Amino acid sequence: VEVMTDKGSHLIKMRFRDAMEEVQPLQGQQIHRSCWVRQSAVVRAKTHNRRLLIETSDGARHPVSRSFIPDVRAKMHL
């Protein structure tokens, strides 16, 4: 699992599912099968080529899987 924070990027050897259980208390959510985003890191959401993208405070853009779109819109108030 690659963990990206404001202090840098770190590789941790563990399953993604186990990592998501550990960050459960933090406010955020899974937006793709391999991506979890903390809600406070979200700067904006936009659509590009009919795909929903979440832009985070570090400038990265993360695609939202179609199956996660309804949940992402509801929980992140998009």
Side-chain angles (χ1 to χ4, degrees), residues 2-12 23 26 36 38 41 57-58:
E2 182 179 12
V3 177
M4 295 166 36
T5 68
D6 56 352
K7 295 180 179 163
S9 177
H10 308 281
L11 287 175
I12 301 172
V23 297
L26 302 173
W36 182 92
R38 188 165 184 176
S57 55
D58 64 353

Side-chain angles (χ1 to χ4, degrees), residues 20-47:
M20 285 188 9
E21 286 178 18
E22 287 196 27
V23 297
Q24 187 77 24
L26 302 173
Q27 291 191 347
Q29 85 178 96
Q30 185 176 6
I31 63 167
H32 195 275
R33 71 178 185 175
S34 62
C35 187
W36 182 92
V37 176
R38 188 165 184 176
Q39 194 168 355
S40 63
V42 175
V43 175
R44 71 179 59 96
K46 57 184 177 178
T47 306

Side-chain angles (χ1 to χ4, degrees), residues 29 39 71-78:
Q29 85 178 96
Q39 194 168 355
D71 221 23
V72 168
R73 287 184 193 249
K75 288 184 181 175
M76 294 194 174
H77 309 290
L78 304 174

